[in-house]
mmCIF file of all heavy atoms in Angstrom:
data_model
loop_
_atom_site.group_PDB
_atom_site.id
_atom_site.type_symbol
_atom_site.label_atom_id
_atom_site.label_comp_id
_atom_site.label_asym_id
_atom_site.label_seq_id
_atom_site.Cartn_x
_atom_site.Cartn_y
_atom_site.Cartn_z
ATOM 1 N N GLY A 43 82.888 85.847 74.939
ATOM 2 C CA GLY A 43 83.938 86.502 74.080
ATOM 3 C C GLY A 43 83.460 87.311 72.917
ATOM 4 O O GLY A 43 84.234 87.985 72.292
ATOM 5 N N TYR A 44 82.180 87.533 72.863
ATOM 6 C CA TYR A 44 81.530 88.395 71.786
ATOM 7 C C TYR A 44 81.282 89.844 72.366
ATOM 8 O O TYR A 44 80.468 89.985 73.179
ATOM 9 C CB TYR A 44 80.210 87.830 71.254
ATOM 10 C CG TYR A 44 79.504 88.697 70.303
ATOM 11 C CD1 TYR A 44 80.052 88.825 69.005
ATOM 12 C CD2 TYR A 44 78.365 89.385 70.489
ATOM 13 C CE1 TYR A 44 79.494 89.685 68.070
ATOM 14 C CE2 TYR A 44 77.725 90.127 69.571
ATOM 15 C CZ TYR A 44 78.358 90.375 68.397
ATOM 16 O OH TYR A 44 77.735 91.048 67.355
ATOM 17 N N TYR A 45 82.015 90.775 71.835
ATOM 18 C CA TYR A 45 81.951 92.037 72.322
ATOM 19 C C TYR A 45 80.968 93.046 71.567
ATOM 20 O O TYR A 45 80.893 94.131 71.866
ATOM 21 C CB TYR A 45 83.375 92.793 72.203
ATOM 22 C CG TYR A 45 84.367 92.223 73.177
ATOM 23 C CD1 TYR A 45 85.079 90.954 72.999
ATOM 24 C CD2 TYR A 45 84.493 92.833 74.527
ATOM 25 C CE1 TYR A 45 85.855 90.357 73.992
ATOM 26 C CE2 TYR A 45 85.294 92.184 75.460
ATOM 27 C CZ TYR A 45 86.023 91.129 75.119
ATOM 28 O OH TYR A 45 86.916 90.549 76.187
ATOM 29 N N GLY A 46 80.255 92.392 70.608
ATOM 30 C CA GLY A 46 79.349 93.195 69.730
ATOM 31 C C GLY A 46 78.233 93.847 70.584
ATOM 32 O O GLY A 46 77.601 94.817 70.209
ATOM 33 N N ASN A 47 77.892 93.195 71.639
ATOM 34 C CA ASN A 47 76.764 93.734 72.429
ATOM 35 C C ASN A 47 77.308 94.747 73.571
ATOM 36 O O ASN A 47 76.458 95.312 74.303
ATOM 37 C CB ASN A 47 75.886 92.764 73.117
ATOM 38 C CG ASN A 47 75.193 91.858 72.085
ATOM 39 O OD1 ASN A 47 74.755 92.301 71.038
ATOM 40 N ND2 ASN A 47 75.119 90.657 72.403
ATOM 41 N N MET A 48 78.582 94.948 73.634
ATOM 42 C CA MET A 48 79.245 95.918 74.625
ATOM 43 C C MET A 48 79.093 97.347 74.195
ATOM 44 O O MET A 48 79.432 97.534 72.976
ATOM 45 C CB MET A 48 80.573 95.436 74.860
ATOM 46 C CG MET A 48 81.326 96.150 75.965
ATOM 47 S SD MET A 48 83.082 95.452 76.056
ATOM 48 C CE MET A 48 83.203 95.363 77.799
ATOM 49 N N ALA A 49 78.801 98.247 75.104
ATOM 50 C CA ALA A 49 78.854 99.644 74.643
ATOM 51 C C ALA A 49 80.178 100.062 74.228
ATOM 52 O O ALA A 49 81.152 99.646 74.795
ATOM 53 C CB ALA A 49 78.297 100.496 75.868
ATOM 54 N N THR A 50 80.166 100.869 73.130
ATOM 55 C CA THR A 50 81.498 101.433 72.607
ATOM 56 C C THR A 50 82.263 102.111 73.674
ATOM 57 O O THR A 50 83.493 102.046 73.792
ATOM 58 C CB THR A 50 81.135 102.354 71.457
ATOM 59 O OG1 THR A 50 80.550 101.670 70.416
ATOM 60 C CG2 THR A 50 82.429 102.818 70.864
ATOM 61 N N ARG A 51 81.504 102.907 74.525
ATOM 62 C CA ARG A 51 82.143 103.573 75.547
ATOM 63 C C ARG A 51 82.884 102.697 76.588
ATOM 64 O O ARG A 51 84.056 103.025 76.968
ATOM 65 C CB ARG A 51 81.005 104.449 76.330
ATOM 66 C CG ARG A 51 81.574 105.110 77.555
ATOM 67 C CD ARG A 51 80.603 105.848 78.369
ATOM 68 N NE ARG A 51 80.949 107.103 78.400
ATOM 69 C CZ ARG A 51 80.220 108.279 78.439
ATOM 70 N NH1 ARG A 51 78.907 108.201 78.290
ATOM 71 N NH2 ARG A 51 80.677 109.465 78.592
ATOM 72 N N ASP A 52 82.265 101.642 76.969
ATOM 73 C CA ASP A 52 82.925 100.583 77.772
ATOM 74 C C ASP A 52 84.096 99.944 77.129
ATOM 75 O O ASP A 52 85.106 99.810 77.924
ATOM 76 C CB ASP A 52 81.791 99.557 78.230
ATOM 77 C CG ASP A 52 80.824 100.117 79.175
ATOM 78 O OD1 ASP A 52 80.958 101.139 79.785
ATOM 79 O OD2 ASP A 52 79.718 99.464 79.165
ATOM 80 N N ALA A 53 83.992 99.577 75.954
ATOM 81 C CA ALA A 53 85.104 99.028 75.355
ATOM 82 C C ALA A 53 86.305 100.060 75.263
ATOM 83 O O ALA A 53 87.478 99.642 75.274
ATOM 84 C CB ALA A 53 84.690 98.583 73.860
ATOM 85 N N GLY A 54 85.962 101.220 74.875
ATOM 86 C CA GLY A 54 87.062 102.325 74.762
ATOM 87 C C GLY A 54 87.650 102.564 76.066
ATOM 88 O O GLY A 54 88.919 102.831 76.155
ATOM 89 N N SER A 55 86.850 102.521 77.129
ATOM 90 C CA SER A 55 87.384 102.764 78.476
ATOM 91 C C SER A 55 88.453 101.649 78.895
ATOM 92 O O SER A 55 89.453 101.881 79.389
ATOM 93 C CB SER A 55 86.379 102.762 79.430
ATOM 94 O OG SER A 55 85.413 103.860 79.396
ATOM 95 N N LEU A 56 87.969 100.459 78.608
ATOM 96 C CA LEU A 56 88.986 99.249 78.756
ATOM 97 C C LEU A 56 90.219 99.422 78.023
ATOM 98 O O LEU A 56 91.358 99.338 78.616
ATOM 99 C CB LEU A 56 88.299 97.928 78.420
ATOM 100 C CG LEU A 56 87.263 97.355 79.345
ATOM 101 C CD1 LEU A 56 86.654 96.135 78.705
ATOM 102 C CD2 LEU A 56 87.898 97.054 80.679
ATOM 103 N N GLY A 57 90.119 99.694 76.794
ATOM 104 C CA GLY A 57 91.303 99.683 75.826
ATOM 105 C C GLY A 57 92.224 100.998 76.377
ATOM 106 O O GLY A 57 93.408 100.797 76.498
ATOM 107 N N GLY A 58 91.659 102.052 76.694
ATOM 108 C CA GLY A 58 92.366 103.241 77.073
ATOM 109 C C GLY A 58 93.181 102.921 78.325
ATOM 110 O O GLY A 58 94.243 103.345 78.544
#
Side-chain angles (χ1 to χ4, degrees):
Y44 176 69
Y45 289 85
N47 296 326
M48 184 179 224
T50 303
R51 172 182 235 145
D52 291 340
S55 294
L56 280 175

